[in-house]
């Protein structure tokens, strides 16, 4: 939006400095007049000790000197104010330069303002932190878009291959073709729904209401009990009332994803998956822990990235689309919570979700 040109902040500060200096000088001269000169007689007086000048004589001698003093103070105020304002606004110029660089699309530039902690330093540090978050977010979105494109292209390519084979086959088996196409289509639908859910969580476009995590944990456990029995995994639930503020549907999806991963990525036989909920002074905690293979901290740190799977990229009947923990991470952040993944020494993973309790003040 075009705006009419105006005085710079540096010029305004310079004029302000000079104006205040002149005002202080004028007040000083007024004080001299009021408290000193008004007690001096108007005319000169001859005394036995000599000539005593009167008020008129003092004024004639004082006014030119005072005028020159005011002129000198005006020049000093303008020059000194200009230099002082420039020195004070130098950090602001660096911040402005960094803002213009960022506006052109370069998010890697940092102000890195040195010096003592003051308002400009706090502003520069806040701006650097914002740039770092934006850069990380943009990089994450770019990786996500690339991975999503790859994942969505896979079922489309498989579908195209199946159709080409069926077209060139003189005796195609329609039933087998339809079943294989249905499997590919179901997977594409699951991936699309997961992407939509992830986008919904990132945008925080959901209504908030009191939600008891203990009831959600029990509901998710009942839903996934057949899957646990199929995999030979024993579900252990130890829940206490843990009420937070958020979306029931999203928090149920979060718990279901965690419990699903705990069941699928478990020991081949006699595995366990434990779900607990607790309440603290300001937070409520949902913890899902399972047995399984030993995981390195390096691998665990990548599990919340989109399309990463703890078993690599090998698919099984319940391998999912690689967005389970990424969705958990987004839902947790959308509820102002923290997500912690801890590999267990004996094997397996402990996932802890901490959310603000319903009694804690919420962020706006």
């Amino acid at each position: 939006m075009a705006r009419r040109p105006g005085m710079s902040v540096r010029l305004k500060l310079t004029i302000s400095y000079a104006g205040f200096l002149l005002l202080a000088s004028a007040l000083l001269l007024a004080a001299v007049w009021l408290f000193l000169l008004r007690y001096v007689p108007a005319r000169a007086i001859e005394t036995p000790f000599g000539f005593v000048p009167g008020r008129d004589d003092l004024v004639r001698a004082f006014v030119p000197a005072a005028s020159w003093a005011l002129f000198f103070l005006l020049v000093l105020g303008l020059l000194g104010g200009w230099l002082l304002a420039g020195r004070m606004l130098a950090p602001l110029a660096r911040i402005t330069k960094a803002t213009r660089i960022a506006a052109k699309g370069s998010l890697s530039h940092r102000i890195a303002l040195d010096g003592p902690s003051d308002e400009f330093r706090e502003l520069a540090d806040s701006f650097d932190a914002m740039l770092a978050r934006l850069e990380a977010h943009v990089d994450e979105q770019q990786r996500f878009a690339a991975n999503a494109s790859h994942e969505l292209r896979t079922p489309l390519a498989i579908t195209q291959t199946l159709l080409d084979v069926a077209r060139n086959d003189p005796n195609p088996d329609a039933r087998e073709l339809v079943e294989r196409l249905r499997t590919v289509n179901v997977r594409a639908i699951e991936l699309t729904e997961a992407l939509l859910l992830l986008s919904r969580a990132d945008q925080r476009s959901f209504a908030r209401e009191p939600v008891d995590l203990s009831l959600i944990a029990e509901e998710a456990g009942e839903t996934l009990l057949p899957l646990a029995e199929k995999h030979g995994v024993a579900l252990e639930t130890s829940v206490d009332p843990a009420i937070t503020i958020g979306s029931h549907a999203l928090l149920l999806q979060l718990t279901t994803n965690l419990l699903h991963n705990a069941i699928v990525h478990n020991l081949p036989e006699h595995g366990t998956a434990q779900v607990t909920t607790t309440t603290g002074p300001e937070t409520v905690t949902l913890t899902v822990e399972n047995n399984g293979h030993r995981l390195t901290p390096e691998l665990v740190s990548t599990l919340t990235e989109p399309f990463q799977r703890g078993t690599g990229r090998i698919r099984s009947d319940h391998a999912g689309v690689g967005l389970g923990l990424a969705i958990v991470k987004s839902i947790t952040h959308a509820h102002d919570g923290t997500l912690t993944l801890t590999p267990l020494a004996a094997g397996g993973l402990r996932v802890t979700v901490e959310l603000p309790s319903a009694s804690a003040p919420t962020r706006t």
Side-chain angles (χ1 to χ4, degrees):
M1 181 177 65
R3 298 184 180 181
R4 60 183 181 86
M7 291 190 300
S8 65
V9 175
R10 186 176 186 182
L11 181 57
K12 292 178 180 178
L13 288 176
T14 300
I15 295 175
S16 299
Y17 295 152
F20 280 118
L21 186 59
L22 286 180
L23 179 60
S25 302
L27 291 176
L28 180 60
L29 294 177
V32 172
W33 173 262
L34 291 176
F35 296 102
L36 295 179
L37 291 182
R38 68 173 181 171
Y39 296 109
V40 178
R43 298 182 179 278
I45 301 175
E46 289 285 349
T47 66
F49 302 101
F51 176 80
V52 177
R55 187 191 309 154
D56 297 338
D57 297 325
L58 293 177
V59 168
R60 282 192 297 269
F62 183 71
V63 168
S67 300
W68 280 106
L70 289 176
F71 176 76
F72 174 76
L73 290 175
L74 176 61
V75 175
L76 180 62
L78 292 174
L79 292 178
W82 181 261
L83 296 176
L84 183 60
R87 183 177 179 84
M88 292 183 60
L89 295 176
L92 187 60
R94 292 179 57 180
I95 296 174
T96 302
K97 179 181 178 182
T99 304
R100 290 172 178 170
I101 294 175
K104 294 179 181 179
S106 176
L107 300 177
S108 60
H109 180 73
R110 298 292 182 270
I111 301 172
L113 190 65
D114 53 4
S117 178
D118 55 16
E119 289 81 357
F120 285 121
R121 176 69 182 274
E122 292 179 0
L123 177 61
D125 291 345
S126 299
F127 189 80
D128 284 345
M130 181 189 69
L131 285 179
R133 289 194 299 270
L134 285 176
E135 185 179 20
H137 181 71
V138 170
D139 291 342
E140 182 179 354
Q141 291 299 318
Q142 290 176 348
R143 292 195 304 270
F144 177 80
N147 290 331
S149 300
H150 174 76
E151 294 286 337
L152 287 172
R153 184 174 58 185
T154 299
L156 295 177
I158 294 175
T159 301
Q160 183 65 39
T161 300
L162 291 175
L163 292 176
D164 290 341
V165 171
R167 183 179 61 183
N168 297 326
D169 189 352
N171 300 308
D173 187 345
R175 182 181 297 275
E176 180 182 359
L177 175 63
V178 169
E179 184 61 28
R180 295 178 68 181
L181 288 175
R182 179 182 179 278
T183 301
V184 175
N185 187 64
V186 167
R187 186 163 194 85
I189 292 175
E190 290 177 351
L191 177 59
T192 304
E193 290 178 345
L195 291 173
L196 291 175
L197 180 60
L198 188 61
S199 174
R200 180 187 173 195
D202 287 338
Q203 296 176 1
R204 303 193 177 199
S205 56
F206 55 86
R208 296 177 182 268
E209 59 182 354
V211 179
D212 191 344
L213 293 182
S214 64
L215 299 180
I216 286 184
E218 292 177 349
E219 182 178 354
E222 293 176 0
T223 302
L224 294 176
L225 183 59
L227 179 63
E229 293 176 346
K230 178 180 179 181
H231 284 75
V233 175
L235 289 182
E236 299 178 2
T237 304
S238 176
V239 294
D240 295 326
I243 301 177
T244 185
I245 301 295
S247 166
H248 180 277
L250 290 179
L251 292 176
L252 177 59
Q253 184 68 49
L254 177 149
T255 308
T256 302
N257 285 4
L258 290 179
L259 195 54
H260 181 276
N261 284 349
I263 295 172
V264 173
H265 303 287
N266 212 307
L267 295 176
E269 295 180 353
H270 308 295
T272 60
Q274 301 174 350
V275 184
T276 61
T277 59
T278 57
T279 300
E282 296 184 355
T283 60
V284 294
T285 304
L286 169 70
T287 304
V288 179
E289 183 176 326
N290 71 332
N291 303 125
H293 301 288
R294 291 185 178 181
L295 303 175
T296 63
E298 292 76 15
L299 175 61
V300 171
S301 65
T302 65
L303 293 181
T304 56
E305 293 294 325
F307 306 106
Q308 296 293 325
R309 300 177 179 86
T311 54
R313 303 191 76 83
I314 301 175
R315 302 179 186 270
S316 64
D317 293 340
H318 299 281
V321 295
L323 288 172
L325 287 179
I327 291 175
V328 168
K329 179 182 177 181
S330 294
I331 294 176
T332 301
H333 289 175
H335 287 77
D336 300 321
T338 58
L339 175 67
T340 305
L341 276 65
T342 306
L344 302 178
L349 184 69
R350 178 188 298 118
V351 182
T352 304
V353 178
E354 287 188 346
L355 301 176
S357 66
S359 58
T362 57
R363 287 186 238 172
T364 58

